[in-house]
Amino acid sequence: MSKPTHYSKRIFHIFLLTVFSIMAIIYILPLVITFTNSLMSMNEVSSHYNTFGDIFHPEGKFVSMAIIPERITLSQYVHILAESPVYLNMFWNSVKIAVPVVAGQLFVSSMAAYAFTILQFKGKELLFFIYIIVMLLPLQVTLMPNYIVFDWLNMTDSYLAIILPGIFNPSGVFLLRQFMKMIPSAYIESAQMDGAGHIRIFFNIVLPMIKSGLASVAMLTFVDYWNVVDQAAIFIQDTYAKPMSLFLARVNQGQIGVSFASSCFYIFPVLIILFYGQEYLKEGINLSGLKG
């Protein structure tokens, strides 16, 4: 009776491995195609992807997708990095949005989480409950109040209309509070008995013990605001001030020959950050209690 059970478990494991392998290939294939096509010449990309048609327009042509380039070249990258400054300009526009949001989010969230975890004041739990409600609201619900406020402040066509709401996003407070709750209270009490104030406790005891949480918040915030679309489309009116996340949608309309290289150029910072910080991110999600 043991052999059939053993064989059935082995078959089940092989089946799961096959299914997950197919799913992994499906998810990875677009990235592979994007990278390999970025090594094509601009003329080759245009010849493959610049003609569209369907069954209702028989005179048209279908896109002939290619994975392996006929001739490997870096001409697409040369164009976006050296010949056309608009790509670097849009890239730095994204940096101007994402980096201040990350820095401000870490500063504000860490201090607010410390207040919600360590300090004792009236109405603390109610205030944190309001934080959770705001965090659960979809972005589309908060865009209109934000627009009204920044229009009143005459700041609608400014990066601050995106950066300030991002800095005060309550999700970072929630995540860091989960980390601080795991710090033994004996550490805080011992420091207070030795005469340490809240500023010294915050910088010398709490922050060093939540490094993985800070890294997790930084990475998640960077990815979120590197890919910002809705806020930028509403608040930023100047075409040359728009981030690259919006500019990529226009590449296929005007310069399809460099669309793949511009996509790789756009996702490269995110991949680098996630690659080097994946251990911090996994540890942060596990320790925060967000993992099911």
Side-chain angles (χ1 to χ4, degrees):
M1 296 295 293
S2 60
K3 287 186 177 181
T5 304
H6 174 73
Y7 286 135
S8 62
K9 288 184 178 180
R10 185 174 181 182
I11 293 174
F12 181 70
H13 290 162
I14 294 175
F15 172 76
L16 288 180
L17 179 62
T18 303
V19 172
F20 289 139
S21 299
I22 294 174
M23 292 177 62
I25 293 174
I26 293 174
Y27 278 105
I28 294 175
L29 187 59
L31 293 177
V32 174
I33 293 176
T34 301
F35 175 71
T36 57
N37 281 216
S38 71
L39 301 178
M40 295 180 179
S41 65
M42 291 185 285
N43 292 333
E44 184 179 353
V45 172
S46 298
S47 65
H48 284 297
Y49 299 96
N50 205 26
T51 52
F52 299 89
D54 52 41
I55 58 176
F56 301 105
H57 301 84
E59 70 279 1
K61 297 181 181 179
F62 290 99
V63 171
S64 57
M65 184 178 294
I67 298 179
I68 301 177
E70 298 175 0
R71 182 175 63 88
I72 296 178
T73 176
L74 298 178
S75 60
Q76 290 189 55
Y77 292 99
V78 171
H79 179 80
I80 65 175
L81 294 177
E83 299 176 359
S84 181
V86 66
Y87 295 93
L88 286 176
N89 179 61
M90 299 297 178
F91 180 88
W92 287 115
N93 289 342
S94 295
V95 172
K96 293 175 185 177
I97 294 174
V99 172
V101 171
V102 172
Q105 174 73 208
L106 290 178
F107 178 76
V108 172
S109 296
S110 59
M111 297 189 69
Y114 179 86
F116 280 122
T117 307
I118 307 300
L119 301 183
Q120 299 296 329
F121 55 91
K122 187 177 180 180
K124 181 176 72 172
E125 295 301 327
L126 176 60
L127 183 59
F128 185 72
F129 178 75
I130 296 175
Y131 256 71
I132 299 299
I133 296 299
V134 175
M135 184 181 69
L136 296 177
L137 291 176
L139 173 65
Q140 291 74 15
V141 174
T142 59
L143 272 179
M144 181 57 70
N146 286 343
Y147 185 85
I148 294 174
V149 171
F150 286 109
D151 183 56
W152 177 68
L153 295 173
N154 197 24
M155 296 170 56
T156 51
D157 194 10
S158 170
Y159 289 146
L160 290 176
I162 304 174
I163 294 173
L164 291 179
I167 289 176
F168 295 97
N169 192 313
S171 58
V173 179
F174 172 79
L175 184 62
L176 293 180
R177 182 175 182 265
Q178 298 299 103
F179 276 85
M180 293 184 186
K181 287 173 64 176
M182 292 183 293
I183 299 176
S185 58
Y187 292 175
I188 309 297
E189 295 172 357
S190 298
Q192 291 174 339
M193 292 177 62
D194 291 337
H198 286 294
I199 295 179
R200 186 174 180 182
I201 294 174
F202 176 72
F203 284 102
N204 294 347
I205 298 177
V206 175
L207 288 187
M209 298 184 69
I210 60 168
K211 287 182 179 179
S212 57
L214 294 172
S216 300
V217 171
M219 286 184 287
L220 294 174
T221 303
F222 180 84
V223 172
D224 191 19
Y225 281 86
W226 185 258
N227 298 320
V228 64
V229 174
D230 294 340
Q231 302 97 308
I234 292 175
F235 290 112
I236 307 301
Q237 304 301 323
D238 186 1
T239 302
Y240 294 99
K242 292 183 181 295
M244 199 168 184
S245 53
L246 283 180
F247 181 71
L248 282 179
R250 301 173 53 192
V251 172
N252 288 339
Q253 301 174 3
Q255 294 179 307
I256 193 171
V258 295
S259 58
F260 294 102
S262 58
S263 298
C264 291
F265 180 59
Y266 171 71
I267 65 176
F268 183 73
V270 176
L271 293 179
I272 291 296
I273 290 175
L274 294 180
F275 177 78
Y276 283 102
Q278 58 180 324
E279 295 301 325
Y280 286 109
L281 185 60
K282 288 190 293 185
E283 182 182 358
I285 294 176
N286 289 335
L287 295 179
S288 65
L290 296 179
K291 186 177 180 180

